[in-house]
Amino acid sequence: MDEDLTAALHPIIAARRSGRLFDANGHVGREQVAVLLEAARWAPTWGKRQPVRFLVGLRGEDGPDGTFAKLHGLLSRGNQSWAPAAGALVLLVAAAAGEPDEVAYAPVDLGLALGQLVLQAVADGFVAHPMAGFDKVGAKAAFDIPSEFEPWAVVAVGVAGTGLADADPGLVAKENAPRKRLPLSEVAFAGTWGERF
């Protein structure tokens, strides 16, 4: 089973990329973000607990709101360079206290919610780029996040940039690089670990 099965994927999954080149004139409206959050809210969740929460910042026509500006300031330096052109920044937070199973599965629930948010963004014609590179301690302080919750990821959502001529050459190279993953034969096993599926 070494053949490339990418062609068999749903077009939304095949089209998904973590783009960094956003159209600085493109915007993502409150209603559009609400649809993305609704997709995330309907992700599978252990015991119907829904341990995931979202903090949303928008960059509107009048500039970024306070949440967007704070989230941008918390990003790692590399992410700060391209994220200001995104239309929205969404912080995903999961429960870190409660029933032991709830806490254990909260990161899984968060990953599922993030995946559905990203795929809904692609389905709606946007680019979504999840990031782990941000100041988690700073986020807790900046947004008064209760101690029973833990920040895990920020996702930038926006309109894909079309003009690459004026873009940073390093970002253009990343944008144009082929999407790569390990082959299925290296990640899927059957019978025993390392025995190819």
Side-chain angles (χ1 to χ4, degrees), residues 161-185:
T162 53
L164 302 181
D166 298 328
D168 175 91
L171 289 180
V172 173
K174 288 180 180 180
E175 203 75 8
N176 291 329
R179 218 168 68 149
K180 289 196 242 178
R181 292 293 186 270
L182 293 172
L184 199 57
S185 61

Side-chain angles (χ1 to χ4, degrees), residues 104-137:
Y105 284 100
V108 175
D109 285 5
L110 186 134
L112 289 163
L114 176 58
Q116 287 197 191
L117 186 155
V118 166
L119 292 178
Q120 184 67 47
V122 174
D124 292 346
F126 296 114
V127 174
H129 186 118
M131 298 171 275
F134 70 100
D135 180 355
K136 294 168 181 59
V137 173

Side-chain angles (χ1 to χ4, degrees), residues 16-163:
R16 190 217 58 80
R17 288 183 67 97
S18 295
R20 293 173 180 86
L21 292 177
F22 293 102
D23 180 350
N25 296 313
H27 298 285
V28 183
R30 182 175 297 276
E31 296 79 18
Q32 293 164 313
V33 173
V35 171
L36 304 182
L37 297 177
E38 186 70 357
R41 186 176 75 87
W42 280 102
T45 178
W46 176 82
K48 299 181 182 170
R49 300 287 181 152
Q50 289 186 261
V52 183
R53 302 292 182 268
F54 310 91
L55 272 160
V56 181
L58 298 175
R59 182 188 55 80
E61 293 181 17
D62 299 328
D65 65 18
T67 304
F68 188 101
K70 281 185 191 178
L71 284 171
H72 176 254
L74 293 165
L75 296 176
S76 64
R77 191 170 46 215
N79 291 334
Q80 280 186 355
S81 67
W82 55 264
L89 293 175
V90 181
L91 173 66
L92 285 84
V93 177
E99 297 294 322
D101 285 342
E102 180 181 2
V103 173
Y105 284 100
V108 175
D109 285 5
L110 186 134
L112 289 163
L114 176 58
Q116 287 197 191
L117 186 155
V118 166
L119 292 178
Q120 184 67 47
V122 174
D124 292 346
F126 296 114
V127 174
H129 186 118
M131 298 171 275
F134 70 100
D135 180 355
K136 294 168 181 59
V137 173
K140 289 188 81 147
F143 296 107
D144 247 357
I145 296 171
S147 60
E148 62 267 20
F149 285 91
E150 191 66 33
W152 282 89
V154 176
V155 62
V157 179
V159 176
T162 53

